[in-house]
C-alpha cells in the first residue's frame, strides 16, 4: 500500500550559479556527487537529486532528517534510479512500515522535479517527528 | 546588535534579498516561512555558518524553524560553540 508521497520542484538554473564544493559535500554522498559531476548538465543532475532528497524527507514527515541520509543512485544496467536510506531516514521509514521508495525525476525549463512514493505494510501509526514509535 | 547577528544578517541580505527589492530585513524577520530563504539557500546558509563559526550544526536541530530568523540562527550557533 502507499504509505506516503512527496514531491519537490527546484530551480535547476539557480543551482548552476550556487553550487559550491562545501554545499556538495554537505548534501550529496560521494557516489551521487561523482555521477552528477560526470553529466554534461551537472547542475540539472544535482538539482534533480536535491529535489529527490527533499521529496523523500517530506514524505517521511520529519524535517530534521539530514539530506545526506538519503541517497539517490542509478542502476548501471537498467538505468533506473533508486533511493537508499541511512540512519534516521531508514529508522523513520521502518517505523512507518515502508518497504520501498519509488522515485521519478525530471527536468525541463530550468526546473527539476522529483516525485517519491513510499510503499509498504504501513501497519504502524505514523509517528510525529522526533518520536521513536 | 552583536557581531554575530550583524554578520549573519548581512549574509542573508547579500545572498537572498534582491537589490531592487524594497524589503527591510532585521534579526526577527521570518526567512523560511516568508519564502525569502528556500531549502537550497537554507543548506547554503548552514554551510556558511559552520565554516565561519567553526561549529557543526546537527541535522535534527538545523530545521526550518531554527533557521527562520537571524535571532534563532544565532541562538543555534551559540549553543554549539565551544
Amino acid at each position: 500500500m502507499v504509505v506516503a508521497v512527496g514531491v519537490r520542484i527546484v530551480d535547476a538554473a539557480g543551482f548552476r550559479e550556487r553550487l559550491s564544493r562545501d554545499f556538495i559535500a554537505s548534501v550529496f554522498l560521494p557516489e551521487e556527487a561523482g555521477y552528477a559531476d560526470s553529466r554534461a548538465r551537472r547542475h540539472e543532475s544535482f538539482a534533480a537529486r536535491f529535489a529527490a532528497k527533499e521529496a523523500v524527507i517530506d514524505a517521511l514527515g520529519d524535517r530534521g532528517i539530514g539530506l545526506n541520509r538519503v541517497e539517490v543512485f542509478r542502476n548501471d544496467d537498467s538505468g533506473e534510479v533508486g533511493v537508499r536510506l541511512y540512519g534516521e531516514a531508514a529508522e523513520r521509514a521502518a517505523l512507518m512500515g515502508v518497504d520501498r521508495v519509488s522515485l521519478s525525476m525530471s527536468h525541463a525549463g530550468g526546473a527539476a522535479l522529483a516525485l517519491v512514493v513510499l510503499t509498504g505494510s504501513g501497519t504502524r501509526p505514523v509517528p510525529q517527528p522526533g518520536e521513536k514509535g | 546588535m552583536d557581531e554575530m547577528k550583524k554578520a549573519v544578517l548581512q549574509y542573508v541580505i547579500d545572498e537572498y534579498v534582491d537589490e531592487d527589492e524594497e524589503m527591510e530585513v532585521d534579526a526577527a524577520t521570518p526567512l523560511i516561512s516568508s519564502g525569502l530563504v528556500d531549502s537550497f539557500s537554507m543548506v547554503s546558509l548552514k554551510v556558511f555558518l559552520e565554516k565561519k563559526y567553526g561549529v557543526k550544526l546537527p541535522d535534527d536541530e538545523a530545521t526550518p524553524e531554527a533557521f527562520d530568523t537571524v535571532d534563532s540562527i544565532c541562538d543555534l550557533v551559540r549553543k554549539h560553540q565551544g
Side-chain angles (χ1 to χ4, degrees), chain B residues 26-44:
Chain B
D26 61 31
T29 301
L31 303 175
I32 311 288
S33 56
S34 68
L36 181 64
V37 174
D38 61 18
S39 54
F40 179 101
S41 300
M42 191 180 122
V43 176
S44 295

Side-chain angles (χ1 to χ4, degrees), chain B residues 8-68:
Chain B
V8 176
L9 183 58
Q10 196 58 55
Y11 179 90
V12 167
I13 291 170
D14 290 344
E15 292 291 317
Y16 310 129
V17 180
D18 289 337
E19 285 179 3
D20 56 357
E21 202 169 330
E22 292 183 5
M23 179 178 182
E24 294 228 4
V25 179
D26 61 31
T29 301
L31 303 175
I32 311 288
S33 56
S34 68
L36 181 64
V37 174
D38 61 18
S39 54
F40 179 101
S41 300
M42 191 180 122
V43 176
S44 295
L45 177 53
K46 180 172 179 277
V47 170
F48 161 77
L49 293 166
E50 289 180 335
K51 276 190 89 170
K52 183 168 179 70
Y53 296 106
V55 296
K56 178 74 181 117
L57 301 176
D59 291 323
D60 63 348
E61 292 184 52
T63 61
E65 291 74 25
F67 273 64
D68 202 27

Side-chain angles (χ1 to χ4, degrees), chain A residues 1-4 93 96-101 117-123:
Chain A
M1 63 176 272
V2 174
V3 177
M96 292 170 68
V98 172
D99 299 321
R100 180 185 170 88
V101 178
V117 179
L118 279 52
T119 52
S121 60
T123 55

